[in-house]
Amino acid sequence: MSAGVPSSRLLGSSIVVTGTHYSMTTLAGRLLAAADEFHLLHEPTNPQPTLSYDSIQPQRWYEYYDAARYSELRRFLEQALAAGDLTEQIATRASGARSPRDAMRVLRYAQRRLPMRLAPRPAILKDPFMAFSARTLQAEDGLKVVLTVRHPCAFAESFVRAGRAFDFNNLMQPALLEALPGEAGTISELANAPPPLTEQAAHLWRIVYGFAAQFLLPDPRTFLLSQDRLVSQTRDTVDALFAFAGARQSASVKTFLAKNLQSAGTDFSGSASYIRRDSEAVLDKWRMRLSAADRDLVRELTGGIAAQLGYREASWHIAGEPR
């Protein structure tokens, strides 16, 4: 697209990549953004952005911009896609840098934003915290949505290993509670009395994907990208994903796939690449790390929605264990 393309058109041609956090949005977002047709817009609704990217900085994690509030989000995204005066933006960020790490983040910001300024294109809106707002983006501006998902137990294992509780007060949003009346009471209880991490993970998975099952999956403009399918049927899944996105698998895409889906390592250690790991080992690690009791709890709390997303009876079992 040329530099004269209106930002509203760029937004309408963009694609949301969302799910829960720890759901593979980074991998899927970077994979699609490796295509020549797109730029990457990183987590535009993250409440705590670093100096390396732009965010509308909502008050809560998983902020729900429904139709009544959508003009605010749309305006921000259109401005982000337009790139604007980079010199001023970079100077402002540089003045706030307080460490070498901050300086590197400012450099990363420039690296991300300059191509958007020089050659405007639609963006991959990579943002797990847009899981609810994706409904509005799709309904109001027709955006396609790639919904990433991992097995509920895989998500729970990552959630527990990270060791960070989720404050369910973030979900005490009137519009969200109205959209999910069956979950409203549970969300209130979880906000008032947080359970152990495994139970938190199961509830959060069910709430996010229950919303998606109701509002996103029935729409043909949504593509369900499961980790299991990406690992076990990589070529067919990637082909289907790029056909859905209307993008070509360039040399950069093929290089990305080779580097990030055929690598060693199982866990992210805080250094090196977040996404460059042994995909098969990552897929199965929950089977070795979650206790039988934890697996049963996760299944009890998520099983109905999990089945709607393709996780059938066999997906819960471990070889050698009695059924």
Side-chain angles (χ1 to χ4, degrees):
M1 290 191 177
S2 70
V5 176
S7 56
S8 58
R9 183 177 167 190
L10 292 177
L11 178 60
S13 300
S14 295
I15 296 176
V16 178
V17 176
T18 193
T20 59
H21 55 298
Y22 309 131
S23 74
M24 207 175 56
T25 57
T26 298
L27 175 65
R30 291 185 186 177
L31 171 59
L32 284 169
D36 295 336
E37 290 84 352
F38 299 109
H39 292 303
L40 179 68
L41 197 59
H42 181 84
E43 298 189 3
T45 65
N46 188 315
Q48 298 176 8
T50 70
L51 292 171
S52 66
Y53 60 95
D54 289 310
S55 170
I56 195 172
Q57 293 185 257
Q59 294 182 350
R60 294 166 287 246
W61 300 99
Y62 293 98
E63 188 82 22
Y64 180 30
Y65 291 90
D66 66 347
R69 300 179 58 205
Y70 181 56
S71 60
E72 177 188 354
L73 179 60
R74 175 193 277 149
R75 183 166 55 252
F76 172 80
L77 293 173
E78 288 180 349
Q79 290 173 351
L81 289 170
D85 185 352
L86 284 182
T87 301
E88 180 180 350
Q89 294 176 39
I90 293 170
T92 299
R93 288 170 186 270
S95 67
R98 297 291 180 266
S99 67
R101 187 177 186 183
D102 282 348
M104 291 302 296
R105 285 172 169 165
V106 175
L107 177 60
R108 178 61 177 142
Y109 178 83
Q111 291 172 333
R112 281 174 164 159
R113 303 298 287 162
L114 185 59
M116 300 178 76
R117 178 65 175 169
L118 296 177
R121 299 173 191 160
I124 299 300
L125 311 181
K126 176 269 171 196
D127 194 344
F129 311 113
M130 203 177 266
F132 302 124
S133 299
R135 174 195 182 190
T136 318
L137 283 155
Q138 190 171 75
E140 298 291 327
D141 281 317
L143 272 71
K144 293 180 179 179
V145 175
V146 173
L147 180 69
T148 61
V149 63
R150 297 171 65 207
H151 191 285
C153 285
F155 171 71
E157 187 277 330
S158 292
F159 187 98
V160 172
R161 180 165 44 82
R164 292 189 289 271
F166 180 76
D167 184 353
F168 283 85
N169 282 292
N170 286 286
L171 305 186
M172 291 292 291
Q173 305 175 42
L176 183 59
L177 298 177
E178 182 179 348
L180 294 173
E183 294 284 11
T186 300
I187 291 172
S188 179
E189 292 173 4
L190 293 167
N192 291 326
L197 292 181
T198 302
E199 188 173 345
Q200 287 185 36
H203 282 296
L204 182 60
W205 191 99
R206 186 193 66 253
I207 292 166
V208 170
Y209 290 107
F211 182 97
Q214 182 175 352
F215 297 112
L216 293 174
L217 289 182
D219 195 308
R221 294 170 296 183
T222 298
F223 183 95
L224 180 63
L225 179 62
S226 77
Q227 182 187 38
D228 302 70
R229 187 180 171 204
L230 181 61
V231 171
S232 63
Q233 304 173 47
T234 302
R235 175 45 52 201
D236 288 347
T237 302
V238 171
D239 287 349
L241 175 64
F242 274 77
F244 170 81
R248 185 178 65 86
Q249 294 183 46
S250 62
S252 297
V253 170
K254 294 173 182 177
T255 298
F256 181 94
L257 286 168
K259 285 184 177 180
N260 294 288
L261 290 181
Q262 302 172 17
S263 300
T266 302
D267 296 324
F268 175 58
S269 62
S271 60
S273 171
Y274 177 70
I275 57 175
R276 193 172 299 170
R277 305 184 227 172
D278 183 326
S279 53
E280 291 190 8
V282 170
L283 184 66
D284 289 331
K285 63 183 178 179
W286 67 265
R287 301 178 188 275
M288 298 175 285
R289 296 180 177 178
L290 289 184
S291 68
D294 282 343
R295 297 197 304 269
D296 288 345
L297 174 63
V298 173
R299 183 177 185 180
E300 177 185 350
L301 294 175
T302 66
I305 299 299
Q308 292 183 49
L309 272 65
Y311 293 104
R312 306 302 182 188
E313 177 76 17
S315 74
W316 297 92
H317 297 299
I318 296 178
E321 284 193 352
R323 299 193 177 189

PDB file of all heavy atoms in Angstrom, residues 26-52:
ATOM      1  N   THR A  26       2.573 -14.400  20.736  1.00  0.00           N
ATOM      2  CA  THR A  26       3.843 -13.834  20.262  1.00  0.00           C
ATOM      3  C   THR A  26       4.347 -14.601  19.047  1.00  0.00           C
ATOM      4  O   THR A  26       4.738 -14.007  18.034  1.00  0.00           O
ATOM      5  CB  THR A  26       4.892 -13.857  21.380  1.00  0.00           C
ATOM      6  OG1 THR A  26       4.435 -13.052  22.475  1.00  0.00           O
ATOM      7  CG2 THR A  26       6.224 -13.308  20.892  1.00  0.00           C
ATOM      8  N   LEU A  27       4.335 -15.917  19.131  1.00  0.00           N
ATOM      9  CA  LEU A  27       4.774 -16.749  18.010  1.00  0.00           C
ATOM     10  C   LEU A  27       3.907 -16.501  16.780  1.00  0.00           C
ATOM     11  O   LEU A  27       4.424 -16.246  15.682  1.00  0.00           O
ATOM     12  CB  LEU A  27       4.727 -18.220  18.409  1.00  0.00           C
ATOM     13  CG  LEU A  27       5.056 -19.227  17.297  1.00  0.00           C
ATOM     14  CD1 LEU A  27       6.501 -19.071  16.856  1.00  0.00           C
ATOM     15  CD2 LEU A  27       4.798 -20.655  17.768  1.00  0.00           C
ATOM     16  N   ALA A  28       2.598 -16.566  16.946  1.00  0.00           N
ATOM     17  CA  ALA A  28       1.696 -16.399  15.809  1.00  0.00           C
ATOM     18  C   ALA A  28       1.777 -14.983  15.232  1.00  0.00           C
ATOM     19  O   ALA A  28       1.758 -14.800  14.002  1.00  0.00           O
ATOM     20  CB  ALA A  28       0.262 -16.714  16.230  1.00  0.00           C
ATOM     21  N   GLY A  29       1.867 -13.991  16.116  1.00  0.00           N
ATOM     22  CA  GLY A  29       1.950 -12.619  15.639  1.00  0.00           C
ATOM     23  C   GLY A  29       3.207 -12.355  14.837  1.00  0.00           C
ATOM     24  O   GLY A  29       3.163 -11.749  13.755  1.00  0.00           O
ATOM     25  N   ARG A  30       4.332 -12.817  15.334  1.00  0.00           N
ATOM     26  CA  ARG A  30       5.596 -12.593  14.615  1.00  0.00           C
ATOM     27  C   ARG A  30       5.653 -13.402  13.319  1.00  0.00           C
ATOM     28  O   ARG A  30       6.242 -12.964  12.325  1.00  0.00           O
ATOM     29  CB  ARG A  30       6.773 -12.936  15.519  1.00  0.00           C
ATOM     30  CG  ARG A  30       6.949 -11.964  16.679  1.00  0.00           C
ATOM     31  CD  ARG A  30       8.201 -12.274  17.461  1.00  0.00           C
ATOM     32  NE  ARG A  30       8.314 -11.439  18.653  1.00  0.00           N
ATOM     33  CZ  ARG A  30       9.281 -11.548  19.551  1.00  0.00           C
ATOM     34  NH1 ARG A  30      10.228 -12.474  19.396  1.00  0.00           N
ATOM     35  NH2 ARG A  30       9.314 -10.765  20.607  1.00  0.00           N
ATOM     36  N   LEU A  31       5.049 -14.581  13.339  1.00  0.00           N
ATOM     37  CA  LEU A  31       5.005 -15.395  12.120  1.00  0.00           C
ATOM     38  C   LEU A  31       4.261 -14.657  11.019  1.00  0.00           C
ATOM     39  O   LEU A  31       4.754 -14.519   9.890  1.00  0.00           O
ATOM     40  CB  LEU A  31       4.331 -16.732  12.423  1.00  0.00           C
ATOM     41  CG  LEU A  31       4.005 -17.634  11.221  1.00  0.00           C
ATOM     42  CD1 LEU A  31       5.274 -17.985  10.453  1.00  0.00           C
ATOM     43  CD2 LEU A  31       3.275 -18.891  11.677  1.00  0.00           C
ATOM     44  N   LEU A  32       3.077 -14.156  11.319  1.00  0.00           N
ATOM     45  CA  LEU A  32       2.306 -13.433  10.307  1.00  0.00           C
ATOM     46  C   LEU A  32       2.973 -12.121   9.913  1.00  0.00           C
ATOM     47  O   LEU A  32       2.951 -11.728   8.744  1.00  0.00           O
ATOM     48  CB  LEU A  32       0.893 -13.170  10.824  1.00  0.00           C
ATOM     49  CG  LEU A  32      -0.051 -14.368  10.818  1.00  0.00           C
ATOM     50  CD1 LEU A  32      -1.325 -14.050  11.592  1.00  0.00           C
ATOM     51  CD2 LEU A  32      -0.393 -14.792   9.388  1.00  0.00           C
ATOM     52  N   ALA A  33       3.578 -11.451  10.881  1.00  0.00           N
ATOM     53  CA  ALA A  33       4.227 -10.168  10.592  1.00  0.00           C
ATOM     54  C   ALA A  33       5.503 -10.329   9.786  1.00  0.00           C
ATOM     55  O   ALA A  33       6.034  -9.342   9.260  1.00  0.00           O
ATOM     56  CB  ALA A  33       4.514  -9.423  11.895  1.00  0.00           C
ATOM     57  N   ALA A  34       5.997 -11.558   9.675  1.00  0.00           N
ATOM     58  CA  ALA A  34       7.158 -11.801   8.812  1.00  0.00           C
ATOM     59  C   ALA A  34       6.782 -11.710   7.339  1.00  0.00           C
ATOM     60  O   ALA A  34       7.659 -11.593   6.477  1.00  0.00           O
ATOM     61  CB  ALA A  34       7.760 -13.177   9.116  1.00  0.00           C
ATOM     62  N   ALA A  35       5.488 -11.756   7.043  1.00  0.00           N
ATOM     63  CA  ALA A  35       5.025 -11.617   5.658  1.00  0.00           C
ATOM     64  C   ALA A  35       5.182 -10.177   5.190  1.00  0.00           C
ATOM     65  O   ALA A  35       5.091  -9.237   5.983  1.00  0.00           O
ATOM     66  CB  ALA A  35       3.563 -12.054   5.553  1.00  0.00           C
ATOM     67  N   ASP A  36       5.378 -10.010   3.898  1.00  0.00           N
ATOM     68  CA  ASP A  36       5.597  -8.676   3.337  1.00  0.00           C
ATOM     69  C   ASP A  36       4.364  -7.789   3.432  1.00  0.00           C
ATOM     70  O   ASP A  36       4.470  -6.560   3.339  1.00  0.00           O
ATOM     71  CB  ASP A  36       6.008  -8.787   1.862  1.00  0.00           C
ATOM     72  CG  ASP A  36       7.352  -9.488   1.685  1.00  0.00           C
ATOM     73  OD1 ASP A  36       8.154  -9.476   2.639  1.00  0.00           O
ATOM     74  OD2 ASP A  36       7.579 -10.055   0.600  1.00  0.00           O
ATOM     75  N   GLU A  37       3.195  -8.387   3.614  1.00  0.00           N
ATOM     76  CA  GLU A  37       1.949  -7.622   3.585  1.00  0.00           C
ATOM     77  C   GLU A  37       1.665  -6.854   4.876  1.00  0.00           C
ATOM     78  O   GLU A  37       0.771  -6.004   4.903  1.00  0.00           O
ATOM     79  CB  GLU A  37       0.759  -8.560   3.322  1.00  0.00           C
ATOM     80  CG  GLU A  37       0.709  -9.136   1.930  1.00  0.00           C
ATOM     81  CD  GLU A  37       1.561 -10.390   1.744  1.00  0.00           C
ATOM     82  OE1 GLU A  37       2.324 -10.741   2.683  1.00  0.00           O
ATOM     83  OE2 GLU A  37       1.475 -11.008   0.677  1.00  0.00           O
ATOM     84  N   PHE A  38       2.404  -7.157   5.959  1.00  0.00           N
ATOM     85  CA  PHE A  38       2.036  -6.615   7.264  1.00  0.00           C
ATOM     86  C   PHE A  38       3.210  -5.996   8.016  1.00  0.00           C
ATOM     87  O   PHE A  38       4.366  -6.363   7.808  1.00  0.00           O
ATOM     88  CB  PHE A  38       1.457  -7.720   8.156  1.00  0.00           C
ATOM     89  CG  PHE A  38       0.222  -8.368   7.625  1.00  0.00           C
ATOM     90  CD1 PHE A  38       0.261  -9.679   7.150  1.00  0.00           C
ATOM     91  CD2 PHE A  38      -0.987  -7.690   7.584  1.00  0.00           C
ATOM     92  CE1 PHE A  38      -0.880 -10.297   6.657  1.00  0.00           C
ATOM     93  CE2 PHE A  38      -2.137  -8.295   7.096  1.00  0.00           C
ATOM     94  CZ  PHE A  38      -2.076  -9.604   6.628  1.00  0.00           C
ATOM     95  N   HIS A  39       2.869  -5.087   8.917  1.00  0.00           N
ATOM     96  CA  HIS A  39       3.745  -4.672  10.003  1.00  0.00           C
ATOM     97  C   HIS A  39       3.231  -5.326  11.282  1.00  0.00           C
ATOM     98  O   HIS A  39       2.161  -5.945  11.286  1.00  0.00           O
ATOM     99  CB  HIS A  39       3.742  -3.148  10.159  1.00  0.00           C
ATOM    100  CG  HIS A  39       4.383  -2.417   9.025  1.00  0.00           C
ATOM    101  ND1 HIS A  39       5.679  -2.644   8.620  1.00  0.00           N
ATOM    102  CD2 HIS A  39       3.891  -1.439   8.196  1.00  0.00           C
ATOM    103  CE1 HIS A  39       5.974  -1.851   7.615  1.00  0.00           C
ATOM    104  NE2 HIS A  39       4.910  -1.114   7.329  1.00  0.00           N
ATOM    105  N   LEU A  40       3.977  -5.172  12.367  1.00  0.00           N
ATOM    106  CA  LEU A  40       3.563  -5.698  13.659  1.00  0.00           C
ATOM    107  C   LEU A  40       3.260  -4.541  14.611  1.00  0.00           C
ATOM    108  O   LEU A  40       4.075  -3.641  14.786  1.00  0.00           O
ATOM    109  CB  LEU A  40       4.665  -6.565  14.273  1.00  0.00           C
ATOM    110  CG  LEU A  40       4.358  -7.153  15.663  1.00  0.00           C
ATOM    111  CD1 LEU A  40       3.247  -8.191  15.570  1.00  0.00           C
ATOM    112  CD2 LEU A  40       5.617  -7.767  16.279  1.00  0.00           C
ATOM    113  N   LEU A  41       2.067  -4.565  15.200  1.00  0.00           N
ATOM    114  CA  LEU A  41       1.721  -3.616  16.247  1.00  0.00           C
ATOM    115  C   LEU A  41       1.618  -4.418  17.534  1.00  0.00           C
ATOM    116  O   LEU A  41       0.703  -5.210  17.721  1.00  0.00           O
ATOM    117  CB  LEU A  41       0.398  -2.915  15.922  1.00  0.00           C
ATOM    118  CG  LEU A  41       0.098  -1.629  16.703  1.00  0.00           C
ATOM    119  CD1 LEU A  41       1.191  -0.588  16.463  1.00  0.00           C
ATOM    120  CD2 LEU A  41      -1.249  -1.064  16.290  1.00  0.00           C
ATOM    121  N   HIS A  42       2.584  -4.198  18.415  1.00  0.00           N
ATOM    122  CA  HIS A  42       2.754  -5.038  19.595  1.00  0.00           C
ATOM    123  C   HIS A  42       1.913  -4.546  20.767  1.00  0.00           C
ATOM    124  O   HIS A  42       2.058  -3.416  21.220  1.00  0.00           O
ATOM    125  CB  HIS A  42       4.236  -5.047  19.988  1.00  0.00           C
ATOM    126  CG  HIS A  42       4.558  -5.891  21.181  1.00  0.00           C
ATOM    127  ND1 HIS A  42       4.779  -7.245  21.093  1.00  0.00           N
ATOM    128  CD2 HIS A  42       4.702  -5.581  22.496  1.00  0.00           C
ATOM    129  CE1 HIS A  42       5.045  -7.737  22.297  1.00  0.00           C
ATOM    130  NE2 HIS A  42       4.992  -6.744  23.167  1.00  0.00           N
ATOM    131  N   GLU A  43       0.998  -5.381  21.234  1.00  0.00           N
ATOM    132  CA  GLU A  43       0.216  -5.195  22.463  1.00  0.00           C
ATOM    133  C   GLU A  43      -0.278  -3.760  22.678  1.00  0.00           C
ATOM    134  O   GLU A  43       0.056  -3.106  23.674  1.00  0.00           O
ATOM    135  CB  GLU A  43       1.023  -5.694  23.660  1.00  0.00           C
ATOM    136  CG  GLU A  43       1.321  -7.181  23.542  1.00  0.00           C
ATOM    137  CD  GLU A  43       1.924  -7.810  24.789  1.00  0.00           C
ATOM    138  OE1 GLU A  43       2.075  -7.117  25.815  1.00  0.00           O
ATOM    139  OE2 GLU A  43       2.252  -9.009  24.719  1.00  0.00           O
ATOM    140  N   PRO A  44      -1.106  -3.274  21.775  1.00  0.00           N
ATOM    141  CA  PRO A  44      -1.593  -1.889  21.905  1.00  0.00           C
ATOM    142  C   PRO A  44      -2.554  -1.666  23.069  1.00  0.00           C
ATOM    143  O   PRO A  44      -2.890  -0.510  23.353  1.00  0.00           O
ATOM    144  CB  PRO A  44      -2.295  -1.647  20.565  1.00  0.00           C
ATOM    145  CG  PRO A  44      -2.652  -3.010  20.066  1.00  0.00           C
ATOM    146  CD  PRO A  44      -1.556  -3.907  20.526  1.00  0.00           C
ATOM    147  N   THR A  45      -2.999  -2.732  23.765  1.00  0.00           N
ATOM    148  CA  THR A  45      -3.837  -2.524  24.947  1.00  0.00           C
ATOM    149  C   THR A  45      -3.162  -3.064  26.214  1.00  0.00           C
ATOM    150  O   THR A  45      -3.844  -3.374  27.193  1.00  0.00           O
ATOM    151  CB  THR A  45      -5.236  -3.174  24.786  1.00  0.00           C
ATOM    152  OG1 THR A  45      -5.107  -4.601  24.695  1.00  0.00           O
ATOM    153  CG2 THR A  45      -5.941  -2.642  23.554  1.00  0.00           C
ATOM    154  N   ASN A  46      -1.847  -3.136  26.208  1.00  0.00           N
ATOM    155  CA  ASN A  46      -1.116  -3.542  27.415  1.00  0.00           C
ATOM    156  C   ASN A  46      -1.122  -2.378  28.410  1.00  0.00           C
ATOM    157  O   ASN A  46      -0.674  -1.279  28.080  1.00  0.00           O
ATOM    158  CB  ASN A  46       0.314  -3.929  27.055  1.00  0.00           C
ATOM    159  CG  ASN A  46       1.072  -4.546  28.225  1.00  0.00           C
ATOM    160  OD1 ASN A  46       1.029  -4.055  29.349  1.00  0.00           O
ATOM    161  ND2 ASN A  46       1.786  -5.624  27.950  1.00  0.00           N
ATOM    162  N   PRO A  47      -1.600  -2.590  29.647  1.00  0.00           N
ATOM    163  CA  PRO A  47      -1.644  -1.481  30.613  1.00  0.00           C
ATOM    164  C   PRO A  47      -0.274  -1.013  31.087  1.00  0.00           C
ATOM    165  O   PRO A  47      -0.165   0.088  31.625  1.00  0.00           O
ATOM    166  CB  PRO A  47      -2.435  -2.077  31.796  1.00  0.00           C
ATOM    167  CG  PRO A  47      -3.150  -3.257  31.243  1.00  0.00           C
ATOM    168  CD  PRO A  47      -2.255  -3.791  30.179  1.00  0.00           C
ATOM    169  N   GLN A  48       0.757  -1.845  30.900  1.00  0.00           N
ATOM    170  CA  GLN A  48       2.083  -1.497  31.392  1.00  0.00           C
ATOM    171  C   GLN A  48       3.127  -1.653  30.282  1.00  0.00           C
ATOM    172  O   GLN A  48       4.001  -2.514  30.343  1.00  0.00           O
ATOM    173  CB  GLN A  48       2.442  -2.384  32.589  1.00  0.00           C
ATOM    174  CG  GLN A  48       1.508  -2.215  33.772  1.00  0.00           C
ATOM    175  CD  GLN A  48       1.823  -3.177  34.909  1.00  0.00           C
ATOM    176  OE1 GLN A  48       2.829  -3.894  34.897  1.00  0.00           O
ATOM    177  NE2 GLN A  48       0.971  -3.199  35.918  1.00  0.00           N
ATOM    178  N   PRO A  49       3.057  -0.824  29.242  1.00  0.00           N
ATOM    179  CA  PRO A  49       3.993  -0.960  28.124  1.00  0.00           C
ATOM    180  C   PRO A  49       5.402  -0.521  28.505  1.00  0.00           C
ATOM    181  O   PRO A  49       5.592   0.287  29.415  1.00  0.00           O
ATOM    182  CB  PRO A  49       3.403  -0.032  27.059  1.00  0.00           C
ATOM    183  CG  PRO A  49       2.730   1.038  27.873  1.00  0.00           C
ATOM    184  CD  PRO A  49       2.139   0.313  29.056  1.00  0.00           C
ATOM    185  N   THR A  50       6.369  -1.068  27.814  1.00  0.00           N
ATOM    186  CA  THR A  50       7.745  -0.598  27.962  1.00  0.00           C
ATOM    187  C   THR A  50       7.974   0.529  26.956  1.00  0.00           C
ATOM    188  O   THR A  50       7.072   0.906  26.193  1.00  0.00           O
ATOM    189  CB  THR A  50       8.742  -1.733  27.693  1.00  0.00           C
ATOM    190  OG1 THR A  50       8.719  -2.052  26.285  1.00  0.00           O
ATOM    191  CG2 THR A  50       8.391  -2.976  28.503  1.00  0.00           C
ATOM    192  N   LEU A  51       9.186   1.056  26.932  1.00  0.00           N
ATOM    193  CA  LEU A  51       9.516   2.120  25.993  1.00  0.00           C
ATOM    194  C   LEU A  51       9.616   1.621  24.553  1.00  0.00           C
ATOM    195  O   LEU A  51       9.794   2.419  23.634  1.00  0.00           O
ATOM    196  CB  LEU A  51      10.849   2.764  26.390  1.00  0.00           C
ATOM    197  CG  LEU A  51      10.852   3.577  27.693  1.00  0.00           C
ATOM    198  CD1 LEU A  51      12.275   3.974  28.071  1.00  0.00           C
ATOM    199  CD2 LEU A  51       9.965   4.812  27.556  1.00  0.00           C
ATOM    200  N   SER A  52       9.467   0.325  24.332  1.00  0.00           N
ATOM    201  CA  SER A  52       9.672  -0.231  23.000  1.00  0.00           C
ATOM    202  C   SER A  52       8.419  -0.271  22.130  1.00  0.00           C
ATOM    203  O   SER A  52       8.492  -0.646  20.973  1.00  0.00           O
ATOM    204  CB  SER A  52      10.254  -1.650  23.105  1.00  0.00           C
ATOM    205  OG  SER A  52       9.326  -2.532  23.702  1.00  0.00           O
TER     206      SER A  52
END
